[in-house]
Amino acid sequence: MSQIELPKVYNPQDFEDRLYKFWLKNDLFSPKGEGEPFVVAIPPPNVTGVLHMGHGLNNSLQDALVRYWRMKGRPTLWVPGTDHAGIATQQVVERRLQKEGKTRHDLGREKFVALTWKVKEEHHAIISQQLKKIGASLDWSRERFTLDEGLSRAVRQVFVTLYERDLIYKGRYLVNWDPEAQTAISDDEVEHKEVAGFLYHIKYPFADGSGFVQLATTRPETLLGDVAVAVHPSDERYTGLVGKMLKLPVADREIPLIADPFVDKEFGTGAVKITPAHDPNDFEAGRRNNLPQINILNPDGTLGPNVPERYRGLTGPQARKKMVQELTDLGLFVEAVPHKHMVGHAQRSGAVVEPYLSEQWFVRMKPLADKAMQALREDQIRFFPKRYENTYTNWMENIRDWCISRQLWWGHQIPVWTCGDCGHVHVKMDTPNTCEKCSSKTLKQDEDVLDTWFSSWLWPFSTLGWPELTPDLAKFYPTTAVVTAYDIIFFWVARMVMAGMEFTGKAPFRDIYMTPLVRDKQGRKMSKSLGNGIDPLDIVNEFGADALKFTMVYLSAQGQDINLDKEGFKLGSKFANKIWNASRYLLMNIPDEGVLPAGQIQKNDVDRWIEGRLNATIRNVDEAMANYRYNDVGHAVYDFFWNDFCDWYIEATKLEFNAGAERKRQAVSKLVLVLEESLRLLHPFLSFITEEIYQQLPGHAFSLVTAPYPVADPARDDASVASQFLALQELVRGIRTLRSEFTIPPEKDIEVVVGLDAGYAHSKFLKAHRDLAALFTGAEGLSFGDQGNKPAGAVTVVGKGFESYVLVRDIIDVPKEKEKLKKTIEKTSGYVLSVEKKLSNQAFVASAPVEIVEGERTKLLEAKENLERLTAYLEELEG
RNA sequence: GGACGAAUAGCUCAGUUGGUUAGAGCGGCUGCUUUACACGCAGCGGGUCGGGGGUUCGAAUCCCUCUUCGUCCACCA
């Protein structure tokens, strides 16, 4: 009899891919219409890998956000793209070569880069596929890549501009060196980890043989680069000794004992060795004291030409062992004390970072940071949750210059050309052919490439066409929001604000939503090495993309990391299943004549109730979405659909279904209306299933993607019906509980008389819905009477304003009932006492707001009434 | 050494500006093939809101302090 039949079992595989293609084919993800746009640029995934759960979360939340605002009618654009991820990608390719026993140098720069492009294509294909699988409503026509032509021009433009503004400089400094990747890295790319090492105490003899200076170091092998030993100027232990020469053991050089206030007198012996080329402090101390810099390392971290022959080529640990041995032999080694200290590791390669002296390009960050701080001060940007402002501010205030050159091949080659003849330096947008000074043709471009983040920080505007003044840039910049994990604030978010302010004069986005981090059930970070990661595609395959997205939305509380395992996604899949089945039920009950036109629909109390609930839900969703409170959104729609719509409304309409074809048609028509609106409400959070069902709805529009989002309508609020329905629910729940507690089987019809209090406000409503109450409680003959008029042999269920007498003399267990009553009495009288105490407190009555006091009075009255009835009944049972 | 976060039911967590008899999901228990859904329905049990002080008429919520975890930042050799 039904016109429409959904498959019996909810199987997302059957339609998710099909629907994504449908959306794409009809260009539903490109911005439409007029008004204030809503724009998000995707945090570009690295082309190195595949998407992990962090991306699953992040893109689910972005998709929810974007779909919501798109349905709200704003021209909405979500820009897709990927990041070339300099070091990471180059490493992937180098490892592949390594398996063939080759290095990138065997190929040469050009071939290596070409090969890397191929690898990029492979990963890019996987990543795009994954994003489509999870349903991301990205505008693929605007996809970008940080190394594509347009973005490369943006990068050059920025480099040249910064150079011209004297915000970029080149210099020989101590930088963080990744000996594995053999490149400089920025401070932010160094991760400090605690390492258990030793503090080696050693002695340096004075050159004149007049004794020793004892000092301590964690890295004895760096002795070979020592150029002095420093003590504090006011350290009395060394009075008269400063200026004397020490004989540096093993290296056989003489170095001075100097005084410098940076030395901590309290630490150890108060003497510290100075190794300017291998320690940031020493570097500064060396400059202050005009000391030489001796670089003892090769780029790969082994010891280099400036050390004694027998040390050359040794790795750090090897050299350390040898050094300790030699010092021991010389009688200069004192002891090695176990010592925990922080050691920098390269974020990408994991190698121990070496402070390394080299010539690099830097960005002067202070002026940029000032503008970025200004953006926050002026409220151009807002953090969600707000507390991340601290992280941002703290970083900005302690900003250091940014080392942007990388000794890699994969990336934007630095747009600097040096004349081979006159040495003139050209910093240009376009590759120059001749030297502008001496017309020489021998121009050589700087070999290095730029840090990956040097292109990422331009992302919000470079993806829209900057530096060209494209229509997209004019229309969609600045963007609305950036959604990303909080561990990327420094690398990306803060720098994007800097770049936006510097190059466009505007913050690149208004809202910064920091997503939680997804962790495993034990709260550990998901990682390859622990094997505790969850592949978002596994989730999609097993539970569906909607389960993935809804679960993420439901669990994303502000600033709270999410701990979960695969099982956790059942939350979403169960909800989707519920939606499926409820919809299937409604659709299969649409009569052949179809649903009624709007004009013929007549609404009753229950319809008004569900509309009020729907209205309240819409309001909650709007409020929560505006504040990026995803978990609130998830709970609001879940509770509405499951508890209100399915458990009460659909159940209630079963009464109508049994009351003849006409009334059934009325009921189904109204159900379809509520379902239709619910699907629109749910679509941003469960996009596929809602669209699949929506497409089956009579009179549906083209697609949910572009359907209008439900709007809260004050005319649909009905406070009266809301409170009346609550009374009905109270009545029903009371009787259900009683049935359950006395284990009365559902099929057993019970006799119930509801005794209404004379002045009870909801008497009329309850009487009008007698049939509903009967249906919900399984008491066919449910009737109404006066309160207190309890039939013999009945058990009482006490409500607020009524009591239900259930005739179950033959069924019930009298002692059990007495027990239950006593318990309730105890609870109620405790409550009465606490409220009485509160109300007898003069201070409370005097200072609390009137409505609070009134509320307490009402509560007390109700509780007292209940208590009286309960007590009376207990007496009766006993007597 | 700084900064921030967390501690609430057996588990994972909500609880927005202080005002309910503190909630959800999962798990547990009881009963149900009840016109879609057992990925279900109905019901039940379970918490001195980490400890201790304080402010307030009133604190899970604000302040102080302690304990335990976690994260970020920081050049103590």
Side-chain angles (χ1 to χ4, degrees):
Chain A
M1 83 165 256
S2 89
Q3 289 185 318
I4 302 156
E5 189 114 28
L6 288 178
K8 188 160 168 49
V9 177
Y10 163 59
N11 185 5
Q13 318 278 11
D14 291 347
F15 54 83
E16 290 191 348
D17 290 348
R18 165 166 52 78
L19 288 175
Y20 198 85
K21 278 183 198 142
F22 165 72
W23 292 333
L24 277 192
K25 194 180 153 206
N26 292 285
D27 185 33
L28 299 179
F29 299 154
S30 65
K32 307 274 192 326
E34 297 304 318
E36 192 192 353
F38 190 93
V39 187
V40 176
I42 196 174
N46 290 349
V47 285
T48 330
V50 299
L51 301 191
H52 56 249
M53 208 53 211
H55 295 110
L57 167 76
N58 175 40
N59 289 300
S60 289
L61 297 184
Q62 285 178 82
D63 192 47
L65 186 68
V66 158
R67 283 181 187 266
Y68 171 81
W69 287 106
R70 187 184 288 121
M71 290 177 75
K72 281 270 191 192
R74 287 170 66 170
T76 297
L77 172 60
W78 187 14
V79 183
T82 45
D83 194 302
H84 69 280
I87 300 182
T89 308
Q90 174 153 335
Q91 240 169 24
V92 167
V93 179
E94 288 193 285
R95 280 189 192 138
R96 280 199 196 182
L97 287 175
Q98 205 174 20
K99 279 182 193 158
E100 302 164 26
K102 287 191 219 161
T103 72
R104 64 176 176 179
H105 299 283
D106 294 329
L107 294 194
R109 185 163 188 154
E110 203 172 314
K111 278 189 180 167
F112 180 83
V113 169
L115 176 62
T116 309
W117 272 98
K118 265 192 205 160
V119 171
K120 175 253 164 189
E121 294 302 338
E122 289 168 21
H123 283 113
H124 171 261
I126 298 170
I127 290 167
S128 322
Q129 188 49 35
Q130 284 179 305
L131 286 169
K132 289 172 181 173
K133 269 277 180 191
I134 68 172
S137 59
L138 292 150
D139 182 355
W140 293 100
S141 72
R142 287 177 165 87
E143 185 181 4
R144 304 307 296 264
F145 176 52
T146 50
L147 216 48
D148 69 22
E149 211 185 311
L151 269 67
S152 297
R153 281 196 72 74
V155 164
R156 278 199 179 186
Q157 174 75 53
V158 162
F159 189 96
V160 172
T161 307
L162 287 176
Y163 185 81
E164 284 167 356
R165 292 179 188 171
D166 193 31
L167 292 173
I168 275 189
Y169 62 93
K170 189 179 193 178
R172 194 173 162 77
Y173 293 93
L174 207 54
V175 296
N176 302 295
W177 186 261
D178 178 344
E180 191 178 312
Q182 297 196 30
T183 176
I185 56 177
S186 67
D187 294 337
D188 299 292
E189 288 169 291
V190 179
E191 287 178 344
H192 295 275
K193 291 181 198 163
E194 193 175 76
V195 169
F198 292 94
L199 196 53
Y200 299 87
H201 294 260
I202 51 185
K203 293 191 286 192
Y204 286 3
F206 281 107
D208 61 8
S210 61
F212 307 90
V213 169
Q214 185 174 325
L215 46 79
T217 177
T218 53
R219 306 180 60 198
E221 70 279 10
T222 61
L223 173 155
L224 298 168
D226 284 0
V227 295
V229 169
V231 296
H232 195 273
S234 67
D235 193 335
E236 287 164 13
R237 289 170 292 186
Y238 300 98
T239 310
L241 297 173
V242 172
K244 285 184 74 171
M245 296 305 281
L246 291 157
K247 185 158 183 287
L248 187 63
V250 184
D252 279 329
R253 283 188 280 115
E254 289 199 358
I255 57 172
L257 181 68
I258 64 166
D260 191 297
F262 93 96
V263 180
D264 179 2
K265 282 196 281 188
E266 306 304 318
F267 190 91
T269 58
V272 57
K273 64 202 254 336
I274 303 293
T275 323
H278 299 285
D279 181 278
N281 275 322
D282 297 3
F283 180 78
E284 294 302 326
R287 291 193 135 196
R288 277 196 299 273
N289 295 285
N290 291 315
L291 296 167
Q293 299 162 337
I294 303 174
N295 177 18
I296 64 167
L297 294 178
N298 290 316
D300 66 357
T302 60
L303 272 66
N306 294 330
V307 302
E309 181 78 49
R310 61 187 186 280
Y311 277 91
R312 290 178 199 162
L314 295 187
T315 64
Q318 287 168 341
R320 182 172 305 176
K321 204 174 160 192
K322 191 173 178 68
M323 177 61 66
V324 170
Q325 186 56 53
E326 288 195 26
L327 289 171
T328 308
D329 295 344
L330 290 167
L332 298 172
F333 177 75
V334 182
E335 59 178 339
V337 182
H339 178 74
K340 281 184 182 161
H341 60 135
M342 300 299 274
V343 176
H345 293 71
Q347 188 198 35
R348 283 293 162 203
S349 71
V352 171
V353 168
E354 290 291 346
Y356 189 74
L357 202 56
S358 59
E359 188 155 63
Q360 304 287 349
W361 288 93
F362 297 86
V363 175
R364 236 182 275 288
M365 295 294 261
K366 187 73 173 51
L368 300 181
D370 288 344
K371 289 185 187 171
M373 292 283 277
Q374 181 197 341
L376 180 64
R377 268 199 312 275
E378 291 175 352
D379 262 346
Q380 288 192 46
I381 53 172
R382 306 186 294 184
F383 277 89
F384 296 88
K386 197 168 164 49
R387 67 182 150 87
Y388 285 111
E389 282 181 5
N390 293 336
T391 312
Y392 176 87
T393 307
N394 190 45
W395 188 73
M396 289 293 179
E397 282 171 351
N398 298 295
I399 197 82
R400 283 169 296 175
D401 285 355
W402 176 18
C403 173
I404 51 170
S405 45
R406 298 287 179 275
Q407 288 63 56
L408 304 172
W409 287 350
W410 177 243
H412 303 272
Q413 199 169 343
I414 293 177
V416 174
W417 291 263
T418 309
C419 176
D421 290 327
C422 74
H424 182 69
V425 171
H426 306 69
V427 180
K428 298 282 173 201
M429 272 299 284
D430 299 300
T431 308
N433 294 319
T434 54
C435 174
E436 60 188 9
K437 207 169 177 191
C438 72
S439 301
S440 160
K441 300 254 180 213
T442 56
L443 290 175
K444 195 168 182 307
Q445 187 174 5
D446 198 311
E447 293 275 326
D448 292 349
V449 302
L450 290 161
D451 182 4
T452 291
W453 299 102
F454 198 85
S455 51
S456 317
W457 74 330
L458 315 176
W459 191 249
F461 46 93
S462 63
T463 50
L464 295 172
W466 190 93
E468 310 306 323
L469 297 174
T470 60
D472 268 9
L473 188 70
K475 182 161 187 186
F476 300 119
Y477 186 82
T479 68
T480 317
V482 62
V483 177
T484 191
Y486 59 78
D487 60 351
I488 209 171
I489 291 178
F490 307 138
F491 286 113
W492 198 47
V493 177
R495 287 194 184 126
M496 281 193 289
V497 180
M498 288 179 165
M501 295 300 284
E502 182 68 24
F503 301 109
T504 70
K506 292 171 190 164
F509 30 69
R510 167 132 179 80
D511 294 343
I512 302 166
Y513 175 71
M514 308 310 321
T515 70
L517 252 35
V518 188
R519 299 171 178 280
D520 71 6
K521 206 89 188 178
Q522 282 87 44
R524 299 173 304 180
K525 252 187 178 172
M526 289 189 173
S527 72
K528 273 182 196 164
S529 54
L530 280 170
N532 59 350
I534 302 175
D535 182 346
L537 274 200
D538 280 356
I539 301 304
V540 171
N541 290 331
E542 195 166 333
F543 302 111
D546 289 332
L548 170 72
K549 182 158 66 174
F550 186 76
T551 305
M552 295 286 89
V553 167
Y554 190 89
L555 295 179
S556 288
Q558 293 239 332
Q560 187 61 42
D561 288 350
I562 300 173
N563 299 351
L564 90 169
D565 55 16
K566 239 175 158 181
E567 288 297 294
F569 290 94
K570 279 190 177 166
L571 170 70
S573 85
K574 281 166 91 164
F575 186 44
N577 187 61
K578 187 70 183 177
I579 296 169
W580 184 263
N581 281 297
S583 306
R584 187 166 73 90
Y585 170 69
L586 301 195
L587 293 177
M588 74 168 67
N589 278 294
I590 293 177
D592 291 338
E593 310 82 64
V595 293
L596 290 164
Q600 289 179 40
I601 282 177
Q602 293 156 2
K603 285 175 185 163
N604 61 33
D605 289 339
V606 186
D607 301 327
R608 279 187 278 278
W609 169 76
I610 194 69
E611 287 201 345
R613 293 300 309 144
L614 183 54
N615 218 33
T617 307
I618 295 165
R619 213 174 268 130
N620 287 341
V621 169
D622 284 344
E623 161 86 20
M625 283 304 283
N627 293 292
Y628 300 87
R629 301 183 62 93
Y630 286 99
N631 61 330
D632 287 353
V633 174
H635 278 91
V637 298
Y638 184 96
D639 292 345
F640 167 76
F641 194 86
W642 203 312
N643 301 335
D644 295 332
F645 184 60
C646 290
D647 292 346
W648 290 93
Y649 189 66
I650 292 183
E651 290 305 315
T653 57
K654 284 178 180 171
L655 200 64
E656 303 297 312
F657 276 33
N658 294 337
E662 261 323 294
R663 278 176 68 180
K664 179 170 176 180
R665 195 172 170 207
Q666 267 287 337
V668 172
S669 304
K670 290 181 286 192
L671 278 165
V672 169
L673 284 181
V674 180
L675 176 66
E676 192 270 345
E677 194 165 350
S678 301
L679 292 175
R680 284 188 282 127
L681 180 74
L682 291 165
H683 181 258
F685 322 109
L686 300 111
S687 306
F688 289 110
I689 187 173
T690 49
E691 179 80 292
E692 178 68 3
I693 296 163
Y694 184 75
Q695 293 293 333
Q696 305 296 322
L697 250 38
H700 67 85
F702 185 70
S703 165
L704 265 185
V705 174
T706 46
Y709 203 71
V711 176
D713 175 5
R716 295 201 297 187
D717 288 326
D718 192 330
S720 155
V721 86
S723 68
Q724 302 199 94
F725 201 83
L726 274 174
L728 177 68
Q729 288 177 314
E730 188 194 355
L731 170 71
V732 169
R733 287 196 177 111
I735 297 170
R736 278 174 172 174
T737 300
L738 181 130
R739 284 193 83 119
S740 178
E741 285 193 343
F742 291 98
T743 330
I744 302 165
E747 70 275 12
K748 178 89 188 166
D749 188 21
I750 50 171
E751 262 182 74
V752 177
V753 177
V754 180
L756 299 163
D757 192 64
Y760 185 46
H762 304 314
S763 296
K764 206 177 150 196
F765 184 88
L766 292 183
K767 280 181 181 166
H769 295 284
R770 192 215 74 89
D771 291 353
L772 216 45
L775 174 74
F776 281 135
T777 55
E780 274 183 31
L782 184 135
S783 64
F784 293 91
D786 294 328
Q787 183 162 307
N789 230 345
K790 186 175 81 75
V795 172
T796 308
V797 181
V798 178
K800 292 173 196 158
F802 63 85
E803 40 192 41
S804 311
Y805 310 116
V806 185
L807 289 120
V808 286
R809 164 64 35 113
D810 317 337
I811 316 167
I812 69 149
D813 179 341
V814 175
K816 197 173 172 185
E817 171 65 5
K818 274 158 69 176
E819 201 53 42
K820 197 187 130 209
L821 264 175
K822 279 182 191 159
K823 217 171 150 186
T824 316
I825 288 170
E826 208 176 300
K827 226 173 159 179
T828 313
S829 50
Y831 179 59
V832 166
L833 236 59
S834 79
V835 181
E836 272 176 343
K837 198 177 153 198
K838 198 186 258 186
L839 281 169
S840 65
N841 183 343
Q842 287 306 315
F844 169 71
V845 179
S847 3
V850 209
E851 62 270 23
I852 299 289
V853 179
E854 274 313 304
E856 291 298 319
R857 289 214 170 101
T858 314
K859 281 191 241 168
L860 179 63
L861 229 65
E862 282 170 358
K864 269 180 151 172
E865 265 176 39
N866 279 357
L867 193 58
E868 275 169 33
R869 288 181 213 155
L870 288 162
T871 315
Y873 182 56
L874 180 64
E875 276 166 10
E876 192 181 313
L877 255 195
E878 279 173 337

